[in-house]
Every structure is written in C-alpha cells, then in structure tokens.
Amino acid sequence: MAQLFTVHPENPQARLLKQAADLLRRGDVLAVPTDSSYALVCQLDDRAAADRLRHIRRLEDKQLLSLLCRDLSELASYARVDNAQYRLLKLGTPGPFTFILEASKEVPRRVSHPQRKTIGLRVPEHRALQGLIELHGAPLLATTLILPDDEDPLNEPATIRQRLEHDIAAVIDAGACPRVATTVVDLSVEAPTVLRRGRGDPARLGL
C-alpha cells in the first residue's frame, strides 16, 4: 500500500519530505498537495515514471504535463523568457497560475508540445510542495489528480491512498486543497492570452 506522509501545511516536517523526495529519486510517482488541487508528480528526467503517471490518468502523449518549479529563477532555466514575460511571471509567482512558454533545451522533447515546443510551468504557493521540490533539487513533472471517469480532482488524502494504493508510492497529506484549477496564461504568443480562468486572478497580472 502507498505510504502516507502527514505533514503540517505551514511547517511541514523536513524528515517526512526527505523520505518523499527519496521515493521520487527512486523513480516513483507521488500524490502531493498544491495551491490549486492535489497532483500526481514524478521526476522530470524519468521516462518510465512519466509513462506511469500518464497511465494512471489515461493521458495520451499529446496531452501535456506541467513542470512545478521551486522559484522564478528555476522556471526561467526551463523556458525561454524575455523581459516582458519575466515581468508578468514575477507578478504571478508563486501562485495558482500555469504559464505556457517556449521550452528551453533543458526540457526533454517528449514532454513539450510536439509542434509548438512549449511547456506549462508554474511555481506553486504551498509550503509542503515547495519543501519537497527544494529537497528533490529539481522541478517535478505534474498533472492534476483527476482519475479516469471522475469530473473533479481527488481532495481527501485517505481516499487518494485507497484508490491509488497500487499505482503510487506515497501521498503527502497536508489537508484539503482549494480544489480549483490554476489559471492558464499563454505567454508564448505575441499578446499574453488567458486560456483558462481558475483560482489565479488575471488582474494580478494586469490581464
């Protein structure tokens, strides 16, 4: 059965996050809380783990995953960012926004858009997840934890553990999440475009 790491949402226990980070480095998939909803995550450079993550969600290869970064400087290492884009990113990070940007050479070709060469990136504002990314030492590949045939993301750690007990290695339990999707902003086009309105207020970005 998947492990359950119960952490404080504001002051997460480092020893538990370290155990979770060790599982990621081993190639496992985890369920983690974010500032929007629970998500499935794995290492960026682990193809087998990414395939397992897609299998759990029943996602096709053309359906893109996102990168969760620890801060804006790390985000800028995985995307091509000009000055205007950087100003918008600075306004929206950390926070419940996913930004579509041109992927840099640091992003494996298999996780970027096959035609546009873009990637969705975000810097989540959640202490436990920030701590996990910091201990892991690199961005995490992620997708919202909505199971096939479900309409909404799973939000109860005990339920997540029960339904995915043989598919993931662990659940980080930091309590319930807002259960509202991120706002998606496409910065890869000439004029920044809001593709989906979610928890992040576009007005924060001046959009």
Side-chain angles (χ1 to χ4, degrees):
M1 177 178 279
Q3 297 184 63
L4 184 67
F5 299 120
T6 302
V7 301
H8 192 281
E10 296 298 324
N11 296 292
Q13 299 91 317
R15 63 179 180 82
L16 297 179
L17 294 182
K18 184 179 182 303
Q19 292 178 49
D22 288 342
L23 292 175
L24 288 169
R25 283 189 286 270
R26 198 177 71 181
D28 287 320
V29 174
L30 273 59
V32 302
T34 78
D35 49 355
S36 58
S37 63
Y38 271 84
L40 294 172
V41 299
C42 68
Q43 290 193 104
L44 171 61
D45 58 356
D46 192 324
R47 188 185 191 112
D51 288 345
R52 204 154 54 247
L53 186 151
R54 287 184 181 278
H55 176 74
I56 294 169
R57 282 284 320 274
R58 301 293 189 268
L59 296 177
E60 298 178 6
D61 289 345
K62 65 181 180 181
Q63 293 175 280
L64 298 184
L65 306 174
S66 297
L67 284 188
L68 304 181
C69 302
R70 70 188 107 180
D71 54 32
L72 182 53
S73 63
E74 183 170 74
L75 183 154
S77 296
Y78 290 84
R80 300 183 187 278
V81 179
D82 62 26
N83 290 336
Q85 292 168 332
Y86 189 86
R87 284 193 291 271
L88 284 176
L89 291 168
K90 196 170 181 180
L91 292 172
T93 57
F97 295 91
T98 299
F99 296 99
I100 308 299
L101 289 155
E102 182 184 351
S104 74
K105 63 181 180 180
E106 303 298 325
V107 178
R109 206 174 276 183
R110 58 188 166 77
V111 301
S112 61
H113 191 283
Q115 280 81 45
R116 297 179 61 204
K117 310 303 182 191
T118 53
I119 186 73
L121 302 105
R122 60 177 303 226
V123 179
E125 191 172 20
H126 192 288
R127 296 273 181 93
L129 181 52
Q130 286 177 337
L132 178 65
I133 299 171
E134 180 71 32
L135 286 168
H136 178 60
L140 298 176
L141 202 56
T143 183
T144 303
L145 210 176
I146 303 177
L147 295 184
D149 302 322
D150 286 359
E151 294 185 359
D152 298 309
L154 295 180
N155 203 37
E156 294 295 332
T159 302
I160 294 170
R161 187 187 189 200
Q162 181 181 39
R163 293 187 63 181
L164 296 176
E165 60 178 339
H166 301 303
D167 297 306
I168 62 176
V171 180
I172 294 180
D173 175 5
C177 294
R179 212 175 188 179
V180 180
T182 60
T183 291
V184 179
V185 182
D186 191 347
L187 297 183
S188 70
V189 291
E190 187 173 347
T193 304
V194 177
L195 301 181
R196 180 182 71 195
R197 288 180 179 268
R199 187 160 179 256
D201 185 356
R204 175 173 163 181
L205 310 177
L207 301 177

